[in-house]
Amino acid sequence: MQNAGIAELGLNWRYLAFEVHPDDLRQAIAGAKAMNYIGLNLTIPHKLLAVDIVDVKDGAATTWGAVNTIRFEGENGAGEWRPMMEFTEAPRQIRAHGFNTDADAITRALREDLGVEPAGKRVLLLGAGGAGRTAALKLASDNVAELYLVNRTQNKADLLAEEIRQRYPKARVVTGYPTDKVDAVLNATSLGLQPTDSLPFDEQRFSLTRTAAVYDMIYRPAETPLLRAAKAAGCRIANGLGMLLYQGAKALEIWTGQPAPLSTMRRALEQNVYGI
Ligand code: NAP
């Protein structure tokens, strides 16, 4: 996805994957900085650890407590910090600027792929792990009308609900299933990764006939048991590919300062993930 986007923008860059032990993350970021890298993406657990390693953070990285994108910046002659791509000669001083593109990608995917604008909506969120927590906080910050939280480990849903009430006192958050209709169900559990997985909710306590739309963060398989059942129940559906695409596209925009070539990146992602 990133290399396709980079090629489309005509940049002589390469996006590579490296496996770094969490204990070595600080040295890895320092090494990338010393080698005049343009930037980095980080995934779990590195994106949580990097919060205390980067030199400066943008608002989203601070709000969501995670850095999934780093842009290296050099100091120019006027004492300004500018993206590395603007330098023809390596600057003497370089800093690591941390960003977070995950949270916006969730609501963008709901909006563009599912047709659900969270503000004023009633949403059932399944899962309170890393992705579920970010989704819950982002939905609350985007003025969702009512948020229902369900998690296998009830205590985690309770703690998350408490965190939301403290950070977004106006948000109406309930742990447990809604008793009437919702606008969307969002699956942030890992149930559905395996074809034999059960649905990620208790069928005695909730039915897909009570929602208009279902988003599954899982993108492989493309159609999870949840999405199959939701389609059969007549719901609008979307899988997590858009979420992956939008967080990556935003990272490319942060590094380049240019709009990401979204359709090229989507096509590359589909080819890599689904072989189509
Ligand atoms: P995580 O922190 O490990 O959380 C996993 C979540 O799934 C927890 O809520 C966990 O409940 C629940 N869960 C796991 N096994 C379960 C089971 N057998 N029955 C019921 N609930 C179960 O993982 P994460 O990073 O939040 O990721 C969650 C999902 O989102 C994964 O499927 C991942 O692939 C997907 N994801 C997609 C994207 C994307 O770009 N599309 C990005 C991030 C994540 P407990 O709290 O009870 O353990």
Side-chain angles (χ1 to χ4, degrees):
M1 159 175 76
Q2 295 293 11
N3 282 319
I6 285 166
E8 180 81 19
L9 292 176
L11 294 163
N12 182 21
W13 299 359
R14 291 292 179 276
Y15 186 93
L16 302 166
F18 297 98
E19 194 172 331
V20 173
H21 190 281
D23 290 351
D24 299 329
L25 182 62
R26 188 176 290 277
Q27 295 98 300
I29 292 173
K33 194 193 273 188
M35 290 189 287
N36 303 311
Y37 274 38
I38 296 287
L40 299 171
N41 278 139
L42 309 167
T43 188
I44 285 285
H46 303 71
K47 60 182 169 188
L48 304 177
L49 302 172
V51 169
D52 296 323
I53 298 177
V54 292
D55 302 305
V56 57
K57 290 188 286 285
D58 84 326
T62 305
T63 302
W64 311 118
V67 168
N68 79 327
T69 301
I70 290 177
R71 180 174 72 197
F72 291 109
E73 298 170 346
E75 196 175 14
N76 68 14
E80 298 160 337
W81 293 101
R82 303 297 309 162
M84 287 300 282
M85 75 168 295
E86 294 183 11
F87 291 83
T88 44
E89 276 180 34
R92 279 305 302 143
Q93 294 291 336
I94 298 175
R95 71 177 188 181
H97 191 160
F99 295 82
N100 184 300
T101 70
D102 286 331
D104 280 353
I106 296 171
T107 40
R108 183 173 178 187
L110 291 179
R111 193 178 298 124
E112 294 186 19
D113 299 353
L114 199 62
V116 173
E117 173 59 54
K121 299 295 191 308
R122 307 176 78 234
V123 176
L124 167 60
L125 174 63
L126 307 165
R133 176 179 170 273
T134 302
L137 290 164
K138 173 68 176 159
L139 289 168
S141 88
D142 283 6
N143 301 314
V144 75
E146 283 175 15
L147 183 59
Y148 294 86
L149 293 180
V150 170
N151 194 52
R152 175 179 59 178
T153 311
Q154 167 79 32
N155 175 41
K156 277 168 67 178
D158 292 339
L159 286 172
L160 179 56
E162 198 43 48
E163 183 182 358
I164 293 171
R165 287 185 197 109
Q166 281 182 13
R167 291 177 62 172
Y168 303 99
K170 286 192 201 143
R172 192 170 134 60
V173 53
V174 178
T175 50
Y177 291 95
T179 49
D180 49 11
K181 285 192 185 271
V182 290
D183 297 291
V185 171
L186 172 53
N187 179 38
T189 76
S190 33
L191 271 180
L193 288 171
Q194 304 303 325
T196 52
D197 278 350
S198 60
L199 295 179
F201 60 86
D202 182 347
E203 291 175 80
Q204 308 294 319
R205 301 180 65 196
F206 184 76
S207 157
L208 290 169
T209 56
R210 282 203 260 141
T211 184
V214 175
Y215 191 87
D216 200 329
M217 287 195 185
I218 293 171
Y219 53 84
R220 192 167 24 208
E223 190 174 86
T224 58
L226 170 65
L227 291 183
R228 199 171 315 122
K231 197 159 78 176
C235 307
R236 300 195 306 281
I237 58 168
N239 74 20
L241 199 79
M243 212 178 122
L244 180 63
L245 172 69
Y246 300 137
Q247 63 77 32
K250 181 70 189 175
L252 189 60
E253 290 177 355
I254 286 169
W255 298 320
T256 63
Q258 299 177 54
L262 206 62
S263 56
T264 300
M265 294 176 76
R266 189 190 297 272
R267 215 165 36 245
L269 196 53
E270 286 170 350
Q271 271 167 8
N272 273 270
V273 176
Y274 304 127
I276 53 171

